[in-house]
Amino acid sequence: MSDSKMDTDKQPEPEKKKMEDKSEEAKASHHAEKIRKLKKYKEQQREKMKGKGIYVTNLGILSRSNVQAYFTKFGTITNIHVIWDKSNKDKLNSMLIDFEMEESVLQILSKKHRYNHLILCGPNNEKMQRVKVMERKVRESRPRSPSPPPPSQISFGEIKARLSVHTDLDEQIQEIMYLTELGEDDIEERNAICGNISKTFAKNGHPRCVVSPFGSTVNGLGFRGCDVDIFLDLGEDENFEKKLTQVQKVRLAASLLRYIPHCCRIHPITGARVPIVKFIHRSTGINCDISFKNRASVLNSEYIRYCTEQDDRIRPLMMAIRLVCKRYEVAGGGGGCKISNYALTMLIILYLQELEKPLLHPLHTLQQCFDGEPELIDGWNFSFCSDFTKLPQLPVNRQGLFDLFSGFFCFYSSLDLRTKFLSPFLGKALDRTILEKELPPEYKDKPEFINHDSFGMDRCIQLQDPFELSFNVCKNLPERGYRTIMTLFGQVHNKCEELKECLRPGGFNQLLELDIKPEENADLPELKDMFGEKNKVYLAFILPSITKLTMDSCLASISQGETTEETSENTVDSKVETTPGSDDASDQIKEEASEQPKDAESVVNISADLQKMNQLLCYIFSDCLKFKQVNVPEIPIPVNIQDLKSDGCLKRKPEIELHSSEGKRARHESTEDSSQDSDKDGFVLTADWEVRLHVWAGRKRYHAQVYDTDQDSSVLQKEAEITGNQLNSAPPLDDIPTEVSFRHHIKISQGRTVLGLEMLRSRKKSFENLFTWLRSYIPDLMKRL
């Protein structure tokens, strides 16, 4: 290792962050410079094209070759752009023709020729077509409207400075609320946006439309600069509402929003599970989203606001917890490894219900005390009693703000959330076995809500929505996100205990300066470095463990399906002539190693498990995602006893020559020095793949349809069906050029299965989108098997 690298590694964290920030600034500056040069180049091209082009129309039955042959006599043609007739794609509408010299255009447009351009056509040139010719005018590029200003944002620097003058931790939490909350001007701006939308729709045929903001803007927990989420009810009768789909409503809204001068960057998103219109408020830079699904989100926001008003401590407590989670990017918008702000708020509400002296009632109590007509949405009751005089009295709780804050992180860091079922409806955290046994009596007369899609036992967190009981608000949280959140909660709790023992000005600032690293990754090297320097692995991640029963069941279903012939092609001619990954292969390998040392037996078991995982992964790529395999997977064979030293390590790297039924040679890669570690961490299986279809784009639009209608098929079959639906709306795969070629590497290290992805060829940066998607898709799919 060079001295410069060692010096970099020894740099303190703040210096590393500064270097990373400078690197990001350099990248942004380089990108801006490229855009500026591109604009300049386009301007230069426009200048060069002035006076050298013509526009030809009234082409009749002429073909491109007829027109090109005619105008070639006036000079050298540099470019031809054909515009086809919209109603008849085989008929020419017009053509744009560019010449090398300006004199050619002047001659064509001269008085002598301008109105006398007769072109011969027909099988024997027996017909003539008079065409119209005009000078091609190059429009000056219109300057783009100025970008809206960025919305006002919270400043962690300002927060730290203001907190440093307070010693009392309760006062610091109150100060956080004052520094981050929406002001009166912010609320007025958001109300004005909703008012303008309502007026525009009323003037354009929807006089009874209702615009209802929801989310952080109205529940009292919004930070400065937060987005505005809007539910738009057109106010029409049921028959009209049924005629318009959500997508049609989105397109209607996008067209009407263009009449509002303050709305810019209007972008309808019709392919999402809940179609929305996104736009930016021009004068403030506030991002706005409009949806049309139902009022459920509006009523959820009303419930959260009701909770914040039950005690003066609840709102500052929620905002302080949200600030910490925002600081470490474990909550908020954007998906990925984050939970939503709504999910975080539900966690806080459940904690306040579970206190020894609770501050909030369970939702089922609020619904029992409601004496009006319930508001039902899709069969779920969204009504609740907001009159505290009708509710059972809660015991007096005199805990301080910081005690409640610290208690939240203590509560969840001490829970094993993988075994808990969290229900704000019940106000309890129960064991997940409740889903397998008799449900609590509070769920009597409620619609069936147990479903594997939301509440499968493999979900890291099962957090039930208090109203829509069949929805797990954390169901998409990946393993990596779960570990990060639990690490954060544990470290914040430990730091809170330290702050209680030693009060100091601005002590809360220490909670905003933690170094969060998931503990489960602390003992692992950089994952992508596990595969050696010769393999240019771009991204690596840990695959979830799969029980032997589940794995054998999946492989059995694969071998019984239509892929039996494809699977048999991968049979390896070696000492053990079996199909890799089958039970027979595992048994024969184990029998052969039964009399070998314990370390050798461990290697054999790991290689068999690795073969099974690789076979499953190849099936997911080839059958579920329709990737094309361009080589044979590499299959390791067990080491022999004579290749082992007395300590169980290999004396030498085994020479392996394996041949598939197609006669192709397969290799075994060893990424670690046999003198340093057992070869059980050195088995690496690889395969090359070609990707032609963007299977990661638009997949959600088919997901609900397939999973709701097909209850009998396996998860793998459903994923294959989703990809099949995508293929139906795309050209044949053979007609699509290869978008990405990549190689997968899979190995077992320290008891964990690691998958590495290496880019071989890619159009632009499509591989980044593919690999990022696979990073979350593959582990999530395997957990649902």
Side-chain angles (χ1 to χ4, degrees):
M1 185 181 293
S2 64
D3 294 339
S4 59
K5 189 171 182 180
M6 291 178 64
D7 294 340
T8 303
D9 293 340
K10 293 179 181 178
Q11 287 180 350
E13 288 297 324
E15 292 297 326
K16 283 187 177 181
K17 290 181 179 178
K18 287 182 181 179
M19 292 180 65
E20 291 173 0
D21 293 342
K22 288 181 180 179
S23 176
E24 291 297 326
E25 290 177 4
K27 289 180 181 179
S29 176
H30 178 68
H31 180 66
E33 181 65 16
K34 286 177 65 176
I35 293 177
R36 187 187 66 79
K37 289 182 178 179
L38 181 61
K39 288 182 177 179
K40 185 177 179 181
Y41 172 76
K42 288 182 177 180
E43 289 292 336
Q44 292 173 347
Q45 291 299 110
R46 288 192 186 96
E47 288 296 323
K48 289 181 180 180
M49 292 305 303
K50 280 187 177 179
K52 296 183 180 180
I54 58 173
Y55 175 70
V56 186
T57 186
N58 194 34
L59 299 177
I61 61 172
L62 292 173
S63 65
R64 170 177 171 152
S65 58
N66 296 142
V67 179
Q68 183 175 350
Y70 174 79
F71 284 103
T72 300
K73 66 182 182 181
F74 292 97
T76 303
I77 295 175
T78 58
N79 184 48
I80 295 178
H81 178 69
V82 177
I83 303 172
W84 299 96
D85 194 307
K86 291 182 179 180
S87 58
N88 185 357
K89 293 183 179 180
D90 296 328
K91 183 180 178 182
L92 292 174
N93 177 273
S94 56
M95 294 176 68
L96 299 172
I97 304 176
D98 297 326
F99 290 87
E100 186 178 19
M101 304 297 294
E102 189 174 348
E103 288 74 10
S104 302
V105 176
L106 293 176
Q107 184 181 0
I108 292 171
L109 298 177
S110 63
K111 290 183 179 180
K112 180 180 178 181
H113 297 288
R114 182 160 193 165
Y115 302 105
N116 298 305
H117 291 292
L118 298 171
I119 303 178
L120 296 174
C121 58
N124 300 315
N125 291 334
E126 72 279 5
K127 296 182 180 180
M128 300 186 70
Q129 176 70 33
R130 187 184 300 275
V131 297
K132 294 182 180 179
V133 183
M134 293 167 277
E135 181 182 1
R136 179 185 178 186
K137 295 182 179 179
V138 181
R139 292 183 180 179
E140 297 291 336
S141 58
R142 286 191 309 173
R144 189 177 181 180
S145 58
S147 299
S152 59
Q153 298 287 342
I154 59 174
S155 168
F156 283 99
E158 179 186 354
I159 291 173
K160 291 178 181 180
R162 293 285 293 271
L163 295 184
S164 62
V165 301
H166 296 279
T167 302
D168 185 81
L169 292 168
D170 288 1
E171 292 179 2
Q172 293 179 50
I173 292 179
Q174 287 283 1
E175 187 69 18
I176 286 173
M177 182 183 70
Y178 299 143
L179 293 173
T180 59
E181 67 182 348
L182 292 171
E184 292 184 3
D185 293 342
D186 297 314
I187 296 174
E188 288 179 3
E189 286 172 350
R190 285 159 169 76
N191 289 335
I193 292 172
C194 295
N196 286 334
I197 294 173
S198 179
K199 291 178 183 177
T200 301
F201 275 79
K203 290 179 181 178
N204 289 273
H206 304 280
R208 292 179 291 180
C209 76
V210 179
V211 178
S212 305
F214 64 91
S216 299
T217 300
V218 296
N219 63 23
L221 302 176
F223 291 146
R224 281 182 292 172
C226 67
D227 297 352
V228 179
D229 297 309
I230 298 170
F231 167 68
L232 181 56
D233 182 1
L234 295 178
E236 306 293 345
D237 56 55
E238 292 185 2
N239 293 330
F240 178 82
E241 289 286 341
K242 289 179 180 178
K243 290 180 182 178
L244 287 181
T245 64
Q246 290 189 56
V247 172
Q248 290 172 324
K249 292 177 183 178
V250 162
R251 289 173 177 157
L252 171 65
S255 62
L256 293 181
L257 287 175
R258 291 185 170 87
Y259 291 101
I260 305 178
H262 291 290
C263 296
C264 66
R265 307 288 195 270
I266 300 167
H267 181 46
I269 301 177
T270 58
R273 188 173 299 178
V274 179
I276 60 173
V277 183
K278 299 180 74 70
F279 68 92
I280 299 177
H281 189 242
R282 192 184 300 275
S283 58
T284 62
I286 297 174
N287 290 277
C288 307
D289 299 339
I290 300 179
S291 62
F292 299 84
K293 187 177 181 182
N294 54 47
R295 293 188 67 244
S297 300
V298 178
L299 298 175
N300 283 336
S301 300
E302 290 181 6
Y303 171 66
I304 293 173
R305 186 168 190 93
Y306 162 80
C307 292
T308 62
E309 294 173 347
Q310 295 313 293
D311 191 286
D312 293 339
R313 294 165 290 181
I314 294 179
R315 183 164 171 256
L317 169 68
M318 287 185 172
M319 296 193 72
I321 294 174
R322 285 169 66 128
L323 179 74
V324 171
C325 292
K326 177 183 176 67
R327 168 68 180 83
Y328 297 105
E329 298 183 346
V330 299
C337 292
K338 301 178 182 180
I339 60 173
S340 65
N341 282 324
Y342 177 71
L344 179 60
T345 305
M346 289 300 111
L347 288 175
I348 302 172
I349 288 175
L350 176 64
Y351 159 68
L352 296 176
Q353 295 168 337
E354 279 272 47
L355 290 171
E356 184 178 350
K357 295 181 178 180
L359 292 178
L360 294 174
H361 292 93
L363 180 65
H364 82 88
T365 302
L366 302 183
Q367 291 187 340
Q368 284 179 344
C369 298
F370 182 75
D371 53 10
E373 186 69 24
E375 181 164 358
L376 300 178
I377 298 178
D378 294 337
W380 302 107
N381 182 9
F382 278 79
S383 303
F384 62 92
C385 177
S386 58
D387 186 355
F388 70 92
T389 60
K390 299 180 180 179
L391 300 173
Q393 190 170 2
L394 293 171
V396 178
N397 184 315
R398 302 190 184 280
Q399 286 182 268
L401 252 180
F402 192 77
D403 288 335
L404 291 170
F405 176 87
S406 174
F408 169 82
F409 293 99
C410 176
F411 176 74
Y412 284 107
S413 60
S414 61
L415 279 182
D416 182 6
L417 294 183
R418 295 181 186 276
T419 65
K420 296 297 180 182
F421 174 67
L422 310 178
S423 174
F425 176 80
L426 298 176
K428 297 176 184 178
L430 304 172
D431 289 334
R432 292 192 184 183
T433 52
I434 187 177
L435 302 180
E436 302 172 357
K437 300 178 181 179
E438 184 178 359
L439 295 177
E442 292 86 352
Y443 288 118
K444 187 179 180 181
D445 300 328
K446 296 292 181 183
E448 177 66 29
F449 67 86
I450 300 298
N451 64 82
H452 180 78
D453 184 43
S454 280
F455 295 108
M457 298 303 288
D458 59 332
R459 300 295 175 185
C460 299
I461 300 179
Q462 290 188 358
L463 176 57
Q464 186 183 41
D465 185 275
F467 296 100
E468 190 178 348
L469 302 179
S470 63
F471 180 53
N472 176 9
V473 297
C474 291
K475 78 170 187 175
N476 292 324
L477 180 68
E479 177 71 21
R480 181 183 175 191
Y482 171 77
R483 293 200 306 269
T484 304
I485 289 172
M486 296 310 296
T487 302
L488 171 66
F489 285 6
Q491 291 192 22
V492 172
H493 168 58
N494 294 335
K495 182 60 69 174
C496 286
E497 295 303 310
E498 294 178 15
L499 293 177
K500 289 179 183 178
E501 296 176 359
C502 182
L503 295 178
R504 63 183 66 180
F508 194 94
N509 289 338
Q510 296 183 39
L511 299 175
L512 305 177
E513 299 169 351
L514 299 175
D515 183 19
I516 305 300
K517 292 182 179 179
E519 295 178 0
E520 293 187 31
N521 282 347
D523 59 340
L524 289 176
E526 185 69 25
L527 292 179
K528 64 182 181 181
D529 294 339
M530 290 182 178
F531 300 95
E533 294 182 0
K534 68 175 183 178
N535 298 314
K536 308 294 184 182
V537 172
Y538 176 82
L539 178 68
F541 50 91
I542 298 172
L543 297 179
S545 58
I546 300 177
T547 63
K548 184 178 184 302
L549 181 63
T550 302
M551 178 65 77
D552 292 344
S553 175
C554 289
L555 296 181
S557 64
I558 290 173
S559 63
Q560 293 172 3
E562 297 179 354
T563 60
T564 304
E565 295 180 3
E566 296 178 10
T567 306
S568 64
E569 290 178 0
N570 292 332
T571 302
V572 176
D573 296 326
S574 63
K575 280 191 175 182
V576 183
E577 296 181 358
T578 53
T579 302
S582 67
D583 291 337
D584 294 337
S586 302
D587 294 340
Q588 292 187 38
I589 289 173
K590 290 175 183 177
E591 287 176 9
E592 185 174 307
S594 60
E595 298 181 358
Q596 295 185 6
K598 187 175 181 180
D599 287 341
E601 185 179 354
S602 169
V603 173
V604 173
N605 291 337
I606 287 179
S607 71
D609 292 341
L610 190 60
Q611 291 175 38
K612 289 185 177 183
M613 182 65 84
N614 188 61
Q615 186 179 351
L616 175 61
L617 185 66
C618 288
Y619 180 81
I620 292 173
F621 283 155
S622 63
D623 286 65
C624 295
L625 300 178
K626 304 304 179 186
F627 296 168
K628 181 180 179 182
Q629 187 174 346
V630 292
N631 78 346
V632 179
E634 300 171 2
I635 308 297
I637 63 174
V639 296
N640 296 321
I641 187 169
Q642 58 266 29
D643 293 328
L644 294 172
K645 298 179 182 178
S646 58
D647 60 356
C649 295
L650 286 173
K651 295 177 183 177
R652 57 186 172 81
K653 181 178 177 181
E655 296 179 2
I656 297 175
E657 283 193 8
L658 303 178
H659 297 272
S660 71
S661 58
E662 296 177 345
K664 295 183 179 179
R665 180 175 174 178
R667 303 185 317 275
H668 163 252
E669 296 181 6
S670 179
T671 61
E672 302 195 18
D673 189 352
S674 60
S675 63
Q676 295 177 356
D677 194 6
S678 170
D679 201 60
K680 67 183 180 181
D681 278 0
F683 286 117
V684 179
L685 306 184
T686 71
D688 294 355
W689 303 90
E690 287 184 354
V691 182
R692 297 171 183 257
L693 181 67
H694 286 210
V695 293
W696 59 91
R699 199 170 182 84
K700 288 184 178 179
R701 73 181 70 175
Y702 302 109
H703 186 277
Q705 174 187 349
V706 170
Y707 274 80
D708 291 345
T709 58
D710 189 355
Q711 302 295 334
D712 299 328
S713 301
S714 67
V715 173
L716 295 176
Q717 290 171 332
K718 291 176 181 177
E719 292 299 320
E721 185 178 347
I722 292 174
T723 306
N725 291 336
Q726 292 179 296
L727 288 171
N728 292 337
S729 58
L733 281 180
D734 293 339
D735 298 340
I736 304 175
T738 300
E739 189 74 19
V740 179
S741 294
F742 74 95
R743 175 175 296 150
H744 89 249
H745 306 259
I746 185 170
K747 69 175 295 185
I748 293 179
S749 178
Q750 300 183 20
R752 302 172 186 271
T753 307
V754 183
L755 174 64
L757 301 175
E758 175 187 356
M759 187 273 290
L760 302 178
R761 291 178 300 277
S762 175
R763 297 183 63 187
K764 297 184 178 180
K765 292 191 176 182
S766 296
F767 77 97
E768 293 183 353
N769 297 329
L770 172 65
F771 288 179
T772 303
W773 177 71
L774 290 176
R775 168 66 185 82
S776 58
Y777 174 80
I778 296 294
D780 178 69
L781 175 59
M782 288 186 171
K783 286 188 291 185
R784 290 188 283 123
L785 293 176

